[in-house]
Amino acid sequence: MGIVLIEDTRQQASKHIAKHQAFERMGVTLVRSKLAHGDYALPPKVSVDTKQSIIELAADIDNDHARFKRECEGARDARTQLVVLVENTCVVDSIESLAEWVEPVASFKRRKYAKRRIHGSRLAKACLTMEKRYGVRFEFCTPLESAERVLELLKGGGES
């Protein structure tokens, strides 16, 4: 398996054809993404995407699915372990327990334009599909545990 490099989106691709062809001959895969500095970088081993609630996770999977899918595909293509860390004050600590969760009525009533309550079983099924298809991993914690868990995941390379 060849190396993957991130190329900054501000790098004008049409002006670097010889370099791109050389990368291709070397088996290097280029993934274009905005970089804070420089034109090329190696992707991180792990990236953590935090969700402040199960409701936010549901919104990404349902309402903003195309963007979320692109993010998962981008991480997979860059060979980066994407971990989606879902904060919640419920007892949800795994995809299995997410499958048992149902949005509380009070939460449903607060969401503007909501047509139906969110059922964890449907979310859990979507999470399992995304794990299988894109290699993304879903983890759950309380808001108080979140900062510590992010650091653990980044330092440990995404391992549980």
Side-chain angles (χ1 to χ4, degrees):
M1 210 180 264
I3 195 168
V4 174
L5 290 179
I6 299 172
E7 179 182 47
D8 187 64
T9 53
R10 293 165 295 196
Q11 176 84 326
Q12 296 179 7
S14 62
K15 294 189 177 184
H16 300 277
I17 294 170
K19 188 180 332 174
H20 289 176
Q21 289 172 343
F23 282 145
E24 191 174 324
R25 284 192 303 275
M26 291 184 256
V28 173
T29 301
L30 289 178
V31 174
R32 291 181 57 84
S33 183
K34 184 177 178 187
L35 293 173
H37 43 77
D39 294 325
Y40 298 94
L42 292 171
K45 291 181 181 181
V46 65
S47 182
V48 180
D49 183 6
T50 57
K51 304 296 174 200
Q52 71 177 19
S53 66
I54 295 170
I55 303 298
E56 183 181 356
L57 174 65
D60 277 355
I61 288 177
D62 288 341
N63 304 339
D64 209 2
H65 184 75
R67 183 204 52 81
F68 191 59
K69 178 182 170 190
R70 281 192 308 274
E71 186 176 337
C72 294
E73 289 172 331
R76 178 199 60 202
D77 294 348
R79 299 186 195 122
T80 297
Q81 172 66 67
L82 177 61
V83 179
V84 177
L85 185 61
V86 184
E87 300 170 13
N88 71 93
T89 55
C90 313
V91 293
V92 175
D93 61 359
S94 65
I95 291 178
E96 292 76 23
S97 60
L98 175 63
E100 303 299 318
W101 180 84
V102 176
E103 180 183 19
V105 173
S107 172
F108 170 67
K109 288 181 178 179
R110 281 193 306 268
R111 287 192 301 124
K112 289 183 177 181
Y113 312 112
K115 295 181 178 131
R116 65 179 190 260
R117 287 171 66 193
I118 298 168
H119 289 268
S121 58
R122 199 172 56 72
L123 279 178
K125 184 177 177 184
C127 290
L128 289 170
T129 298
M130 296 182 97
E131 279 189 347
K132 187 176 179 182
R133 193 172 288 161
Y134 307 113
V136 64
R137 200 169 80 227
F138 293 86
E139 292 199 11
F140 302 82
C141 68
T142 68
L144 294 175
E145 299 167 325
S146 184
E148 184 176 331
R149 190 64 189 127
V150 167
L151 288 177
E152 288 172 0
L153 289 163
L154 293 173
K155 286 181 180 179
E159 298 171 8
S160 291

